[in-house]
Amino acid sequence: MATKTVTTDTFAQSVLTSDKPVLVDFWADWCHPCHMLAPVLEQLADERADDLVVAKVDVDAYPELAEQYGVRAFPTLKLFRAGRVVHTLVGATPKRVLVAELADHL
């Protein structure tokens, strides 16, 4: 399972009402750290497909989502559970750190 692209139209259904926790990557194409993080998120999506959805929001295409969730730096990762943000990480995070940060919430 790869990461899932979400839009303003699909955000509520894909993220807020998901029966699994959803890690949302707020990213931009011009953001070098975002590109560094992308393969880590793809791996995480594949490895944790049974208990986690990894979604991506292009903040240039959907700035209203970034504004709604207070995203001001990129990449920003927000973990949603039952429609609420339960954890936030900012910046390109190494996989081992990302997994450790998420462990308490999965």
Side-chain angles (χ1 to χ4, degrees):
M1 175 178 186
T3 57
K4 179 179 193 169
T5 300
V6 294
T7 67
T8 303
D9 293 337
T10 63
F11 192 87
Q13 179 182 11
S14 297
V15 176
L16 301 180
T17 62
S18 175
D19 57 345
K20 295 180 186 176
V22 182
L23 181 64
V24 179
D25 174 23
F26 291 88
W27 72 284
D29 190 48
W30 48 263
C31 168
H32 182 65
C34 296
H35 289 284
M36 292 171 44
L37 185 60
V40 171
L41 295 175
E42 289 292 336
Q43 287 177 355
L44 189 63
D46 289 339
E47 292 170 4
R48 300 299 299 263
D50 291 340
D51 62 350
L52 177 70
V53 174
V54 180
K56 298 178 77 63
V57 172
D58 180 343
V59 297
D60 288 329
Y62 306 103
E64 62 280 3
L65 288 173
E67 183 177 330
Q68 181 177 352
Y69 290 99
V71 175
R72 305 235 184 313
F74 310 103
T76 291
L77 302 174
K78 291 196 176 273
L79 182 64
F80 288 78
R81 183 178 208 100
R84 293 187 17 238
V85 176
V86 295
H87 195 64
T88 300
L89 292 162
V90 178
T93 307
K95 184 178 176 185
R96 63 179 168 66
V97 174
L98 179 57
V99 169
E101 287 279 335
L102 297 176
D104 289 342
H105 302 284
L106 297 179

